[in-house]
Amino acid sequence: MSTVNIPRLDLNFYINGDTNQRKRFSDDIGKAFNETGFVTITNHGLNKQLIDKLYEDVKALFALPDEVKMKYEVPGLAGQRGYTSKGKETAKGFKAPDLKEFWQIGQTVTDGSPIKDDYPDNLVVEELPSFNSTTLEVYKKLESAGIYLLRAISAYLGLPENYFDDKVHNGNSILRTLHYFPITDPDALPDDAVRAGAHEDINLITLLIGASADGLELLTRENKWFPVKAYGEDLVVNVGDMLQRLTNNKLKSTTHRVVNPPRELMKYSRYSVPFFLHPKSDMDLSSLSSCIDNDHPKQYDDITAGEYLDERLREIGLKK
């Protein structure tokens, strides 16, 4: 029997629901994250108009000439801000780089916190003013939705509801706009070249705003690949490695990938926009004592979020 449990959950039940609705949401997301690490979320705060505008701007960005995009690729930032060109990121354990290019937007600190000095400024696309304003709005809305999701997860774990609040406020979160470019010569591809090699996310949770085409798959407990599809404007949300470490594997950071399309569709682009919700770098990722017992001994060494991120960026080739 398949253990693929990807429920469609209404975030409004948690934000504005009664006690029973909130508990049901928390139990449902906890159960899914315990079993498969994935859910889809509706009523998350982004309307269709904003999502459509986002994808319009993302397509316009990647349609810019390469020489224009390259102005925004900054050595030394490990791809954490601005443009990252083709062939730069390789999934851990793979030799061929992913078939993609991307742009990353980071935290905008507006409350006077000194942590602002720790973050590089976001790069402003001079050629596309609306890209900057649209992505900033999307960033803030996904960050807000993510905080509510973490509160529901906290309740499931028996933690205070606001356990994550101060850890992710002004956190090192990233909005990534992705272009999986057309594959014009399939026969010339290395054997293991795919749009995104099998991997787990680094962060606490990832909130993905749909995609312009199919291709996302997760690896089930039976070691089989299962396609993940969202309804319309729903978010796909999954557990990252930081949350898996914190919960000593109680919540699953599930391996996933983006496969190449059928040959007849390789000439088309695929776009997607994930939001990687990170805590501040000083968050302690030591496994929670409540998730450790005789049947579940501690699996991970103690480490901070910043140390772990640094380690993983080196593994995937973005940091030297």
Side-chain angles (χ1 to χ4, degrees):
M1 176 179 283
S2 173
T3 57
V4 180
N5 171 29
I6 309 178
R8 186 178 188 227
L9 304 179
D10 186 336
L11 186 55
N12 190 53
F13 285 169
Y14 188 79
I15 297 174
N16 296 310
D18 60 28
T19 301
N20 290 334
Q21 289 173 319
R22 287 165 59 82
K23 186 178 188 308
R24 174 69 181 271
F25 182 94
S26 178
D27 288 347
D28 285 347
I29 196 170
K31 184 174 188 290
F33 281 174
N34 180 267
E35 293 178 359
T36 58
F38 275 78
V39 298
T40 62
I41 298 291
T42 187
N43 283 328
H44 41 69
L46 282 75
N47 59 34
K48 185 178 188 302
Q49 182 180 7
L50 178 58
I51 293 174
D52 288 347
K53 182 68 173 79
L54 172 67
Y55 273 96
E56 177 186 316
D57 287 340
V58 168
K59 290 175 183 178
L61 173 80
F62 290 114
L64 291 171
D66 284 346
E67 60 267 23
V68 173
K69 290 182 288 190
M70 292 300 292
K71 290 193 310 180
Y72 300 105
E73 186 164 36
V74 182
L77 285 185
Q80 297 306 288
R81 299 292 186 274
Y83 179 63
T84 297
S85 54
K86 301 169 184 176
K88 291 292 176 67
E89 184 172 276
T90 304
K92 182 180 177 181
F94 284 73
K95 292 181 179 177
D98 289 347
L99 303 175
K100 68 190 182 191
E101 56 182 337
F102 57 90
W103 182 286
Q104 296 206 150
I105 298 102
Q107 184 65 260
T108 304
V109 178
T110 58
D111 60 3
S113 170
I115 200 171
K116 183 178 190 301
D117 296 335
D118 294 345
Y119 297 139
D121 292 334
N122 284 310
L123 303 187
V124 175
V125 186
E126 298 167 357
E127 295 80 4
L128 293 170
S130 68
F131 175 86
N132 309 302
S133 55
T134 300
T135 51
L136 177 61
E137 182 179 359
V138 169
Y139 186 110
K140 290 302 181 186
K141 286 184 178 294
L142 289 176
E143 185 175 45
S144 176
I147 289 170
Y148 282 114
L149 292 169
L150 287 175
R151 288 175 182 171
I153 292 166
S154 296
Y156 172 76
L157 293 171
L159 300 168
E161 185 185 43
N162 63 352
Y163 176 83
F164 289 99
D165 284 18
D166 65 332
K167 298 171 178 62
V168 299
H169 175 67
N170 286 334
N172 195 21
S173 296
I174 292 289
L175 182 72
R176 173 183 280 196
T177 66
L178 271 161
H179 176 218
Y180 300 98
F181 45 82
I183 301 169
T184 54
D185 187 1
D187 294 326
L189 286 179
D191 290 342
D192 67 343
V194 292
R195 286 185 155 174
H199 66 284
E200 300 80 40
D201 291 343
I202 301 170
N203 42 292
L204 289 170
I205 56 173
T206 300
L207 294 77
L208 174 69
I209 307 173
S212 65
D214 292 339
L216 177 63
E217 298 181 345
L218 68 82
L219 190 63
T220 68
R221 287 187 178 181
E222 292 81 22
N223 212 36
K224 295 180 179 178
W225 289 104
F226 182 86
V228 181
K229 298 179 185 292
Y231 298 84
E233 287 74 53
D234 287 4
L235 299 179
V236 175
V237 181
N238 63 275
V239 175
D241 282 353
M242 289 185 183
L243 188 57
Q244 177 173 266
R245 289 183 75 103
L246 186 72
T247 63
N248 198 40
N249 293 341
K250 181 177 178 69
L251 303 184
K252 307 293 184 189
S253 177
T254 300
T255 302
H256 54 285
R257 66 183 184 182
V258 179
V259 296
N260 296 338
R263 200 176 181 93
E264 65 273 15
L265 298 178
M266 286 186 176
K267 60 185 177 182
Y268 298 108
S269 289
R270 180 184 190 270
Y271 302 90
S272 71
V273 183
F275 178 75
F276 302 114
L277 199 157
H278 282 262
K280 292 194 280 278
S281 293
D282 62 0
M283 180 183 177
D284 183 2
L285 294 180
S286 300
S287 297
L288 297 164
S289 58
S290 57
C291 295
I292 301 170
D293 57 32
N294 289 337
D295 293 328
H296 305 91
K298 186 177 177 182
Q299 298 295 311
Y300 300 103
D301 294 334
D302 297 346
I303 198 170
T304 66
E307 290 167 342
Y308 185 63
L309 174 62
D310 188 69
E311 175 184 301
R312 289 292 300 277
L313 289 177
R314 294 179 194 280
E315 286 178 349
I316 61 177
L318 288 180
K319 198 166 188 175
K320 303 302 181 188

